[in-house]
Amino acid sequence: MITRRSLLGGLAAGAATAGLATAGRALGASAPAPAPTGPPAAALPLHIVNSSGSHANSSIWVYILGNDGTRQVRVTADGQIKPVAVADNGPDGFTDYAIPLAATGTTTLQLPQMSGRIYTALGGKLRIKAVADGNGRPALAYPAGWVATDPNYDVLHDCAEFTHTAGGMYCNTTMVDMFSVPLALRLTGARDQTTGTLKDGARARIFSDVKGAEGFDRLVIGDKRVIAPGHGLDSGLFGKDYLAPAIDEAWTAYASKDLTVTTRAGTFTGRVSGDRLRFTGPKAVSFAKPTTRDVLFCDGTLAAPNDGTLGPVAAVLGAALNRSTLTTHPAQPTTDPAAFYRQRLTNHYAAAMHAATRDGKAYGFAFDDVAGFASYIEDPAPKELTLTLTAF
């Protein structure tokens, strides 16, 4: 299975200039390839449905941006892949890759084989700059709605993520960086699957729940978006040591008892020794005590390489700390959602996202796919994908 982390793993390392250093994850660029001609092979119909109730089709634009395996690309309204180019910047210094919705009803586009994001912008177009990356290759400075100085900060926008290959379609809605526009995905093919659909009135409830959680209130940016606590921490809007007591409690607990983590590689048994959580099992792996930022970004001491051993254990630990189950459940991963987010010090942002969705699944943090709680679907024989802007 391709998870969101492996889906985006090959798309890291975009242009650090033009704000991508603060933007977090950027879709990657690599060596240029000849421009394609004609319609792309094996394109998948992509239907865009506007059920927002807040904006007419005429004030909504779609952007399909990503990587075709060799370079950063964008998709045109007629379904062609075109490489991004610095020359695409207009007189205002930004590209205009916007695809308008049909005047009424459903908009149908063609989604080529590539990895990327489907952005929706409501009430105004996104200002996306084409730049040269660190190797001089064309890349994009993607929207970073959690950065107050980003040119798209005042634009209502959000995105879904996908990888479309000859082997199938892999896609998800995401709140890892922020939540703004309620989006739902329906993927039909070998199966008929949906994910991301919010309960009635849930957008307002997300804003209210996050604002009401102690220490999380400044993450709510008016009625435009709620930013993830990791980005809030980097912006001075969230406590850098918020989870420190919970992390300390877990490290103390496992200094005197075993923690077991079961992955596809087998079962790892861990104890804290010398301030490191050290595991034996299929392979010896260990972790320094993480910071709050490490937990929220699932990075730093909890970075998860795609190595089959260290990476999966890091993912389980990161999920347990975000869900506040690490100390209370010495056998991980915890699979009962009734146990999640029960402690005072927990990721209340992620909790609000999960409480808001009809299927209980969301991507509230990067390791939310642990034990299958992410708003992620895949199909080996896809026939069509529908992205719906659901009711505000």
Side-chain angles (χ1 to χ4, degrees), residues 243-338:
L243 288 172
I247 297 165
D248 289 344
E249 183 182 20
W251 248 242
T252 298
Y254 294 112
S256 58
K257 64 179 181 180
D258 288 344
L259 170 66
T260 61
V261 172
T262 300
T263 73
R264 292 181 181 179
T267 298
F268 295 78
T269 302
R271 282 278 185 116
V272 172
S273 173
D275 210 35
R276 291 187 72 88
L277 181 53
R278 303 175 187 274
F279 288 91
T280 59
K283 184 179 179 181
V285 297
S286 70
F287 301 86
K289 185 188 294 186
T291 64
T292 295
R293 191 181 191 281
D294 292 342
V295 173
L296 295 175
F297 279 107
C298 303
D299 201 1
T301 64
L302 294 176
N306 187 24
D307 62 356
T309 50
L310 177 66
V313 176
V316 171
L317 292 177
L321 285 165
N322 274 283
R323 296 167 179 163
S324 61
T325 63
L326 186 58
T327 300
T328 56
H329 293 70
Q332 292 289 339
T334 313
T335 58
D336 179 5

Side-chain angles (χ1 to χ4, degrees), residues 2-14 24-29 67 69 115-117 161-163 172 304-306 363 366-367 369:
I2 296 181
T3 66
R4 178 183 183 275
R5 282 178 282 119
S6 56
L7 179 153
L8 292 176
L11 303 178
R25 294 170 286 102
L27 301 182
N67 194 305
S115 290
R117 297 187 182 130
E161 300 170 327
F162 72 94
T163 286
N172 61 266
N306 187 24
Y363 248 124
F367 291 160
D369 55 334

Side-chain angles (χ1 to χ4, degrees), residues 111-132:
L111 192 62
Q113 292 184 2
M114 58 178 285
S115 290
R117 297 187 182 130
I118 306 167
Y119 284 92
T120 59
L122 290 70
K125 292 184 178 182
L126 293 173
R127 304 175 74 195
I128 301 173
K129 183 183 291 289
V131 297

Side-chain angles (χ1 to χ4, degrees), residues 206-255:
I206 288 172
F207 279 65
S208 175
D209 287 352
V210 176
K211 194 171 187 64
E214 183 181 356
F216 286 72
D217 57 303
R218 291 191 294 166
L219 301 178
V220 179
I221 311 300
D223 190 44
K224 285 200 179 296
R225 65 185 59 91
V226 183
I227 63 174
H231 290 308
L233 185 155
D234 283 351
S235 301
L237 302 176
F238 189 78
K240 66 182 181 64
D241 294 320
Y242 173 80
L243 288 172
I247 297 165
D248 289 344
E249 183 182 20
W251 248 242
T252 298
Y254 294 112

